[in-house]
Amino acid sequence: MSHAQNVVSAYLRAKDHNRPQLMRQAFASDARLEMVVNAGTISFPPLAQGIDAITDVLVRQFSRTFENVYTLCIGTPPTKGASQYSCKWLVGMSEKDSRAVRIGCGRYDWVFASEAPRLATQLTITIEQMHSLAPEHLLPVMAWISALPAPWCAPPVLTAGAPAIAELRTVIDYFG
């Protein structure tokens, strides 16, 4: 696995599984996070500077609200020696309080340090869509998304077995 694959994988494990200690395997101490939210159903601060602030936003605060989190990078993994990596992403999760299902998509834009340990120095997360579905959709959505290959999934594989839910269709269409 390349350094960039390790970094992205560590970030996804930290965020999805509420393991803040893993963020140090993904981000440099002075890393910068930018959030571009184009969907009105979720909010994040537009900027976080430094590993502690990034961990607070992406793991600690996130896990207070959401559970059953599955995030996939859609497309091919970063190549060996990559200094940058961009991909689309898909996330499925549930809200702890309401049990509503959230399904969303967007783009990751990563920049990695040029010297060891080659951690991320910048991440821009763009949220293009974030839909809230009724709690009765939890089981079919989770059965589908948890069966997809992680952390990288090819777009054609994404549609296999997808539940017939209108909001889910708009997210799948995002991946072309």
Side-chain angles (χ1 to χ4, degrees), residues 126-138:
T126 303
I127 301 173
E128 293 295 348
Q129 297 180 44
M130 186 60 66
H131 300 281
S132 184
L133 311 176
E136 62 262 20
H137 294 300
L138 179 65

Side-chain angles (χ1 to χ4, degrees), residues 14-172:
K15 181 183 72 66
D16 289 2
H17 302 291
N18 188 21
R19 294 191 172 107
Q21 76 280 4
L22 294 179
M23 292 294 272
R24 295 200 180 278
Q25 296 174 20
F27 292 96
S29 62
D30 61 346
R32 177 183 172 95
L33 169 69
E34 293 183 30
M35 298 290 299
V36 179
V37 180
N38 295 330
T41 61
I42 197 163
S43 64
F44 285 95
L47 179 65
Q49 185 70 44
I51 183 70
D52 292 332
I54 292 170
T55 301
D56 191 52
V57 169
L58 295 180
V59 180
R60 290 186 181 97
Q61 291 178 25
F62 187 80
S63 68
R64 286 184 192 129
T65 305
F66 300 105
E67 60 189 0
N68 299 311
V69 182
Y70 291 89
T71 307
L72 302 171
C73 294
I74 308 303
T76 57
T79 59
K80 184 175 177 112
S83 61
Q84 298 182 348
Y85 174 66
S86 295
C87 69
K88 291 181 177 179
W89 55 262
L90 169 74
V91 69
M93 58 198 167
S94 59
E95 295 178 12
K96 287 182 176 182
D97 291 339
S98 71
R99 307 284 192 252
V101 180
R102 291 290 190 105
I103 189 84
C105 58
R107 181 177 175 87
Y108 287 136
D109 292 295
W110 294 87
V111 178
F112 306 104
S114 58
E115 297 179 11
R118 306 283 317 264
L119 299 173
T121 58
Q122 175 148 346
L123 172 59
T124 301
I125 301 175
T126 303
I127 301 173
E128 293 295 348
Q129 297 180 44
M130 186 60 66
H131 300 281
S132 184
L133 311 176
E136 62 262 20
H137 294 300
L138 179 65
L139 292 179
V141 168
M142 290 299 139
W144 164 69
I145 201 168
S146 67
L148 294 171
W152 285 275
C153 181
V157 176
L158 189 66
T159 59
I165 301 169
E167 294 90 342
L168 185 56
R169 175 78 338 203
T170 66
V171 170
I172 290 173

